[in-house]
Amino acid sequence: MLDKKLGEEIIDLIKREVVPALGCTEPAAVSLCVAKATEMLGEIPAKIELRLSGNILKNAMGVGIPGTGMIGLPIAVALGALVGKSEYGLEVLRDVDADSVGKGKQYIAENRISIKLFEDAPSNLHIHVAAIGEDGHKAEAVISRAHTNFVYLNKDGEIVYEEGGSNLEAENNVEVKDPQLNLRTVYEFATTMPLEDISFILEAKKLNKAAADLALTSDFGHSLGSTMKKNGIGLFGDSPLEHIIYNTSAACDARMGGAQIAVMSNSGSGNQGICATMPVVSYAEDINASEEQLIRALTLSHLTSIYIKQSLGRLSALCGCVVASTGASSGICYLMGGGYEEISAAVKNMIANITGMICDGAKPSCSLKISSGVSTALLSAMLAMNGKCVTEAEGIICDDVDRSIHNLTSIGREAMKETDKLVLNIMTNK
């Protein structure tokens, strides 16, 4: 049984990292930063100047903005200024309607928005917004390292808040330090915590299943989910694999296609939240799992994903579905009756297979990568339950599962930096 204090810290960690988000979290974070600067300015800005890290640009260029029928940053910026509310967090654009979209298009047409790459940004996730009024008043807001983490606020040259500063707001903003995890701790937490303490994770099922159900009866993105449901039986059979693919990819279709519906994110990513949730939910339904089994499997999946992201970082050149599919594989393995050893084997099988999948931005085709990830999740769990695991003699896998995880994250965090730069260069020069 886990130490009570550690258990409470992990619950707080999950509640911070598994939160609702409307639309892709990168443009949502930009909208949030714009909304905050606009609120400080006290008027609709005459001009908005943005400097963004490469990973923010990459993940916001080709994704649909909820409720707009449009893609990319300009409309996200305009709506952040016109109707965004910072109190909504990553649901900042909750109040978007047809009228505000029309006004947003006009705002863009008036050339009020300037977006530039921040070449040497201090974080892969960095957003600097300057909102300038008609009379020259200026408000600045900076988000860095995490999608809702404001580190600097300034109004007309006066610092309102600065991370680590001595002003009143800074003194009242106590930084929360994440508990350090390993897979054993993750497993023990998910399988031994009192059910009532972790049942809140079912909200992830509720939100993400609603997104999947919407896309299965509509046309969003590439409609991979609905196409798979209609046409996949002949190729894959009416099987758990087919169900996992269409349920997970459909939720991604909705999110990347700009559906005005919130999903439950994980570690700042809606797609990661979908990928950590829907394979587990789908498989649990197929085997008629109990509610307790589902709660513990979802907790295991989401917390495994959080653990891996602790050493990978928020944004990288490594596709987030690699991380979240690994979490999903652990959850599926648990539902198959696996214990710690089998789950460790499933994780190692995942790392041996899809490490290196690149992130080339948030976009409708993310559903294809998610489908690859969740297919591998089921395969890896099946192998683990049959005593099959990639060995230390093979590639980047170690006998120690935590070392294997850190091999994965060091590749994504360090070795793929140049990949990240090249991907962004290709994307911005097409």
Side-chain angles (χ1 to χ4, degrees):
M1 192 77 173
L2 282 185
D3 172 76
K4 183 179 179 182
K5 183 174 183 296
L6 177 58
E8 291 171 350
E9 289 176 350
I10 294 174
I11 288 171
D12 289 342
L13 172 64
I14 297 173
K15 288 182 175 179
R16 289 196 305 274
E17 297 290 7
V18 181
V19 297
L22 182 63
C24 178
T25 48
E26 278 69 59
V30 173
S31 295
L32 174 62
C33 202
V34 170
K36 187 69 171 179
T38 300
E39 290 162 1
M40 292 168 58
L41 186 65
E43 61 180 289
I44 301 299
K47 189 174 183 181
I48 303 173
E49 298 174 347
L50 301 97
R51 290 194 301 157
L52 308 174
S53 60
N55 284 80
I56 290 289
L57 277 175
K58 183 179 72 173
N59 281 349
M61 288 172 62
V63 70
I65 307 302
T68 69
M70 301 172 68
I71 64 169
L73 278 169
I75 191 64
V77 172
L79 292 174
L82 294 170
V83 298
K85 289 185 174 63
S86 65
E87 66 194 76
Y88 292 167
L90 291 178
E91 294 182 89
V92 57
L93 298 184
R94 188 192 301 170
D95 296 337
V96 166
D97 56 19
D99 180 61
S100 59
V101 172
K103 291 177 180 177
K105 290 178 179 177
Q106 181 62 34
Y107 195 92
I108 295 168
E110 292 169 356
N111 293 317
R112 295 173 180 246
I113 300 168
S114 170
I115 301 172
K116 294 182 179 179
L117 172 65
F118 193 155
E119 292 278 3
D120 298 311
S123 168
N124 284 345
L125 194 167
H126 194 84
I127 302 162
H128 183 283
V129 173
I132 303 163
E134 293 284 358
D135 55 3
H137 288 294
K138 183 178 181 181
E140 294 177 85
V142 178
I143 285 175
S144 194
R145 301 193 309 279
H147 293 78
T148 60
N149 185 44
F150 285 96
V151 299
Y152 182 77
L153 302 172
N154 186 305
K155 172 70 183 295
D156 287 333
E158 181 179 339
I159 295 175
V160 177
Y161 168 72
E162 185 172 19
E163 188 176 64
S166 60
N167 59 68
L168 183 61
E169 283 198 44
E171 289 171 359
N172 290 334
N173 190 57
V174 179
E175 185 176 355
V176 179
K177 190 173 182 180
D178 292 343
Q180 292 305 298
L181 303 171
N182 57 43
L183 194 64
R184 171 71 72 176
T185 300
V186 168
Y187 173 77
E188 289 182 359
F189 176 89
T191 57
T192 65
M193 284 297 289
L195 209 59
E196 61 269 21
D197 291 344
I198 56 175
S199 60
F200 64 87
I201 202 69
L202 287 175
E203 187 68 14
K205 172 190 173 181
K206 177 183 174 183
L207 291 183
N208 293 345
K209 194 171 190 307
D213 290 344
L214 174 65
L216 288 172
T217 56
S218 308
D219 186 18
F220 290 101
H222 295 297
S223 298
L224 177 57
S226 59
T227 302
M228 181 69 173
K229 186 174 183 180
K230 291 173 186 173
N231 303 290
I233 291 179
L235 295 171
F236 297 90
D238 187 12
S239 66
L241 176 61
E242 192 221 7
H243 304 160
I244 284 171
I245 293 174
Y246 75 63
N247 279 309
T248 310
S249 59
C252 179
D253 287 333
R255 179 174 177 264
M256 294 288 94
Q260 199 163 6
I261 188 170
V263 301
M264 191 66 83
S265 66
N266 181 297
S267 304
S269 167
N271 278 349
Q272 285 171 201
I274 289 167
C275 205
T277 302
M278 290 311 299
V280 176
V281 169
S282 183
Y283 188 74
E285 290 178 348
D286 276 353
I287 65 168
N288 295 313
S290 68
E291 183 173 82
E292 176 174 355
Q293 287 175 309
L294 175 59
I295 290 170
R296 296 198 183 281
L298 282 174
T299 301
L300 179 61
S301 177
H302 277 276
L303 190 55
T304 298
S305 302
I306 292 167
Y307 164 43
I308 298 171
K309 289 291 285 188
Q310 279 186 334
S311 56
L312 178 62
R314 291 281 169 173
L315 299 176
S316 74
L318 185 71
C319 177
C321 86
V322 174
V323 174
S325 295
T326 302
S329 190
S330 68
I332 292 169
C333 190
Y334 170 81
L335 289 173
M336 290 177 170
Y340 176 72
E341 294 303 324
E342 289 80 13
I343 288 163
S344 296
V347 168
K348 287 191 273 187
N349 291 340
M350 290 294 292
I351 294 169
N353 193 334
I354 57 174
T355 294
M357 184 186 291
I358 66 166
C359 170
D360 55 343
K363 58 207 174 303
S365 61
C366 285
S367 60
L368 290 166
K369 294 186 179 185
I370 280 180
S371 296
S372 297
V374 300
S375 302
T376 305
L378 186 62
L379 173 67
S380 296
M382 179 197 71
L383 286 171
M385 290 302 296
N386 284 276
K388 304 299 181 183
C389 179
V390 177
T391 67
E392 187 172 38
E394 302 171 72
I396 63 170
I397 300 303
C398 298
D399 281 341
D400 185 308
V401 66
D402 295 295
R403 281 190 62 193
S404 298
I405 287 169
H406 288 286
N407 290 343
L408 161 72
T409 59
S410 64
I411 288 170
R413 187 183 63 250
E414 301 296 334
M416 295 179 74
K417 281 183 178 179
E418 290 303 315
T419 301
D420 214 17
K421 292 176 184 176
L422 181 56
V423 167
L424 181 62
N425 185 58
I426 291 170
M427 290 174 65
T428 55
N429 287 281
K430 288 193 289 185

